[in-house]
Amino acid sequence: MRQEVDHMRQRCGELETENGKQHKIIMSADAERLRQKKELDQVINERDILGTQLIRRNDELSTSLRENKDSTKHFEQGRNTIQTETRGYTTLETRSQEIEKREK
């Protein structure tokens, strides 16, 4: 009977030791889980910031593109006007030269 009691006490001690080891493992895993949660929250926050910046840059790019198209349109209109005026001037100059030749 005494041996059984000693054996039971020894077994209880072993179980308590094993329980302590498992408790440390659980505590370590919980600490790691919290660290990973913080890291995940930080990554999500950075992702959201980058997403906001991307949307802002995209809006700026769209605005610049519209402004560029408008500038190109105005440039083309101005160039067409100058070409028309230059043709008109050339025509007038040619007529003027023809009139001068007739008058001589």
Side-chain angles (χ1 to χ4, degrees):
M1 201 55 161
R2 177 115 173 113
Q3 287 179 339
E4 284 184 36
V5 171
D6 288 342
H7 178 69
M8 290 296 213
R9 284 185 182 153
Q10 182 181 359
R11 183 68 181 138
C12 283
E14 290 171 358
L15 290 174
E16 285 179 10
T17 301
E18 182 64 26
N19 189 19
K21 288 178 183 178
Q22 289 178 352
H23 182 71
K24 286 181 182 179
I25 291 170
I26 290 170
M27 295 300 288
S28 177
D30 281 344
E32 178 63 17
R33 184 184 57 81
L34 286 175
R35 186 193 66 74
Q36 289 180 358
K37 173 77 170 111
K38 287 179 183 179
E39 186 177 342
L40 175 64
D41 290 344
Q42 183 178 359
V43 168
I44 289 172
N45 187 41
E46 290 173 5
R47 180 206 61 194
D48 293 345
I49 290 169
L50 290 173
T52 301
Q53 289 175 346
L54 180 62
I55 290 168
R56 196 173 304 137
R57 297 300 181 268
N58 190 38
D59 290 345
E60 291 171 359
L61 183 60
S62 294
T63 300
S64 293
L65 184 60
R66 276 194 304 274
E67 289 172 355
N68 188 23
K69 284 181 180 180
D70 290 344
S71 295
T72 301
K73 178 182 163 188
H74 292 305
F75 173 77
E76 290 295 327
Q77 289 172 347
R79 187 170 65 180
N80 290 339
T81 301
I82 289 171
Q83 287 174 347
T84 302
E85 293 295 323
T86 302
R87 272 184 257 147
Y89 174 75
T90 303
T91 303
L92 287 175
E93 190 175 334
T94 304
R95 285 185 185 170
S96 175
Q97 290 173 357
E98 289 173 0
I99 292 173
E100 285 179 7
K101 284 182 185 179
R102 280 190 224 152
E103 291 178 357
K104 286 185 184 181

